Amino acid sequence: MKLFFELFFWICIGLVVYTYVGYGFVAWFFVKIRKALGLTFKKYNDPTFLPVVTLVVPAYNEMSCIEAKVINTFGLDYPSDKFEVLFVTEGSNDGTSEYIASLQDKYPNLRMIAGDTRRGKIEAMNMAMKTIHTPIVIFTDANTTLNQLVIKNIVRHFQDPKVGAVAGEKRIQTEGSEAAAGAGEGLYWKYESFLKKLDTELYSVVGAAGELFAVRTDLFEHVEKDTLLDDFIISLRIAANGFRVIYEPDAYASERPSFSIQDEMKRKIRIAAGGFQAIARLGFLWNIFRYGLLSFQYVSHRAMRWAVAPFCLPLLVIINAILLFTGSELIDIFSYHILMIAQIAFYALALVGYYLENKKIRVKILFVPFYFSFMNYCAIKGYLRYRNGLTSGIWEKVKRAE
């Protein structure tokens, strides 16, 4: 029994390390091999390739940011006769629909879908897609700011007929005095951007950020209305149909972090619940014999981060404690004392970080233990939420920092 606990302990450590660090090294190594064998993907950058696109912006009660979104959108560097802007404001009762309607004479390429019933972002996207006839559609959130060359940097990838979708980059606008939740989120997305670059060079990105992604219109599949992670489901289904999903870091959407740790926790728990929902709906992607590299990337980069690592972390503490009482058969028992102290110290720093976060005190060294623990805690809570059937395609709005 001692040997079983000990082997299980090291397996859990291996799974956690692989999920957060190891996959990056393995992907980097595979990319190097591909380059050495001359198997790199062709890059397209024809500046004359300017297809007609539709920019879709779901906007439920977004009066606080809608004016800035409109100014940003119509200031993008792309021919005005080559792109249409479609706002879906269904259910809004704060003046968002009326404001958009007042601008339609000023902007001939501006459309709006409005109504009295709020059906949620997913249904807004499904409704929008039924009215779109351009070959490419770009989805973006109302509370984000896009860089000027965003459309040009996205559409150039669609010169490749094997590219079915393009994922933009999400950037968190943090300030020097930002609280730990926002700063930690910023660090997380920087690491995610690094992994997505590797994913693209290896084969395909596994999931797009809903703040900014584009798809070929004819590849879009109707999304179930209770879907929590529409961006993830849409892009992975396209990839499963044999098309690559490209990551474009020079097309980015910037937004402010969540206003508080409580708001960020709500968002993370919902995303985690959506992750488990996606794992159930995309179960076919576990078939590595059919999907090859895509399966490897999906399991390593996404599924393990939701369904494996978060549950290994508490097990490591429990099994470590058991080994201290039962003894060791593989290594010196003193090593397990050190590992237990290290775990306790790490989580103690995370708790201090949480306490200071609530006091609005910023201590940079606490970002990593705090946000790492925070994400995994939210993943476990998200699993419980999914298991209890608490899912809805209608998101609760999260308050953002000003």
Side-chain angles (χ1 to χ4, degrees):
M1 185 60 72
K2 284 192 294 185
L3 182 60
F4 168 78
F5 279 122
E6 205 161 358
L7 289 173
F8 191 56
F9 178 82
W10 288 105
I11 288 172
C12 285
I13 285 182
L15 290 172
V16 172
V17 172
Y18 176 76
T19 300
Y20 289 104
V21 181
Y23 171 67
F25 281 106
V26 172
W28 175 84
F29 180 70
F30 283 170
V31 167
K32 289 295 183 183
I33 291 177
R34 288 187 64 91
K35 289 180 178 179
L37 297 175
L39 299 176
T40 55
F41 295 101
K42 182 179 178 181
K43 295 183 178 180
Y44 294 80
N45 196 17
D46 181 0
T48 65
F49 181 74
L50 299 171
V52 183
V53 304
T54 299
L55 194 72
V56 176
V57 187
Y60 168 73
N61 281 355
E62 298 286 4
M63 241 351 252
S64 63
C65 61
I66 199 67
E67 182 179 0
K69 185 65 178 181
V70 169
I71 293 172
N72 173 240
T73 299
F74 287 99
L76 299 178
D77 185 4
Y78 204 75
S80 59
D81 61 335
K82 293 283 188 177
F83 86 103
E84 175 182 72
V85 180
L86 173 58
F87 281 90
V88 185
T89 63
E90 221 192 20
S92 293
N93 54 19
D94 69 338
T96 299
S97 299
E98 291 78 4
Y99 177 75
I100 296 298
S102 71
L103 298 174
Q104 290 183 298
D105 289 337
K106 181 179 180 180
Y107 301 109
N109 54 339
L110 171 63
R111 285 201 299 125
M112 178 180 65
I113 296 177
D116 297 329
T117 304
R118 184 190 180 194
R119 294 183 174 88
K121 181 181 177 182
I122 293 88
E123 284 294 84
M125 295 168 70
N126 286 330
M127 286 190 299
M129 291 304 296
K130 293 176 182 178
T131 72
I132 292 173
H133 304 289
T134 60
I136 296 168
V137 58
I138 301 173
F139 296 101
T140 181
D141 286 348
N143 65 336
T144 61
T145 302
L146 307 180
N147 63 304
Q148 273 213 318
L149 293 175
V150 63
I151 300 179
K152 288 183 177 178
N153 289 337
I154 283 176
V155 299
R156 63 188 178 89
H157 294 288
F158 288 105
Q159 295 174 71
D160 184 348
K162 293 302 293 179
V163 170
V166 177
E169 178 175 317
K170 175 182 176 179
R171 295 187 180 181
I172 303 299
Q173 298 172 322
T174 56
E175 299 174 356
S177 58
E178 205 70 80
E185 189 182 0
L187 288 173
Y188 169 78
W189 279 107
K190 287 178 183 177
Y191 180 59
E192 269 298 291
S193 295
F194 168 73
L195 290 181
K196 286 181 178 180
K197 289 175 185 177
L198 291 176
D199 282 341
T200 295
E201 292 185 84
L202 182 57
Y203 175 61
S204 174
V205 171
V206 282
E211 289 77 8
L212 177 63
F213 73 104
V215 302
R216 292 188 187 275
T217 305
D218 59 354
L219 297 181
F220 180 89
E221 297 180 12
H222 181 88
V223 186
E224 299 86 341
K225 66 180 181 180
D226 65 337
T227 301
L228 297 177
L229 297 183
D230 52 273
D231 45 2
F232 188 77
I233 292 288
I234 292 168
S235 56
L236 261 295
R237 283 175 174 169
I238 288 174
N241 286 328
F243 294 88
R244 294 176 65 220
V245 180
I246 301 299
Y247 172 61
E248 177 48 73
D250 288 329
Y252 54 87
S254 302
E255 69 176 15
R256 296 289 289 134
S258 300
F259 178 76
S260 68
I261 192 62
Q262 287 75 27
D263 287 309
E264 180 65 4
M265 183 178 293
K266 290 178 184 177
R267 193 177 72 89
K268 285 291 185 185
I269 290 173
R270 186 177 175 87
I271 288 173
F276 287 102
Q277 183 191 63
I279 288 173
R281 291 183 177 174
L282 300 173
F284 54 86
L285 280 179
W286 289 78
N287 186 352
I288 196 169
F289 298 104
R290 179 177 179 182
Y291 295 102
L293 274 175
L294 180 63
S295 290
F296 165 70
Q297 292 179 291
Y298 166 68
V299 173
S300 298
H301 191 172
R302 291 300 179 191
M304 289 184 67
R305 191 173 292 185
W306 283 318
V308 177
F311 300 93
C312 285
L313 292 170
L315 285 174
L316 283 172
V317 177
I318 295 169
I319 298 173
N320 200 156
I322 291 173
L323 290 172
L324 290 179
F325 284 102
T326 60
S328 166
E329 292 189 11
L330 294 179
I331 64 174
D332 184 1
I333 191 64
F334 180 69
S335 300
Y336 290 106
H337 283 86
I338 296 175
L339 288 169
M340 179 59 86
I341 292 171
Q343 290 186 82
I344 293 172
F346 184 85
Y347 293 123
L349 289 173
L351 287 173
V352 172
Y354 175 75
Y355 173 79
L356 293 178
E357 154 64 16
N358 285 322
K359 296 291 185 180
K360 304 298 182 184
I361 299 174
R362 180 177 182 267
V363 181
K364 204 167 188 177
I365 196 172
L366 300 177
F367 287 172
V368 173
F370 167 73
Y371 205 71
F372 178 83
S373 303
F374 172 73
M375 283 195 308
N376 285 286
Y377 171 76
C378 291
I380 294 173
K381 293 279 286 185
Y383 170 73
L384 296 175
R385 178 172 179 170
Y386 171 69
R387 288 287 295 178
N388 290 329
L390 300 176
T391 58
S392 169
I394 300 178
W395 282 73
E396 178 183 348
K397 288 175 72 67
V398 172
K399 189 176 181 181
R400 296 283 174 179
E402 297 298 332

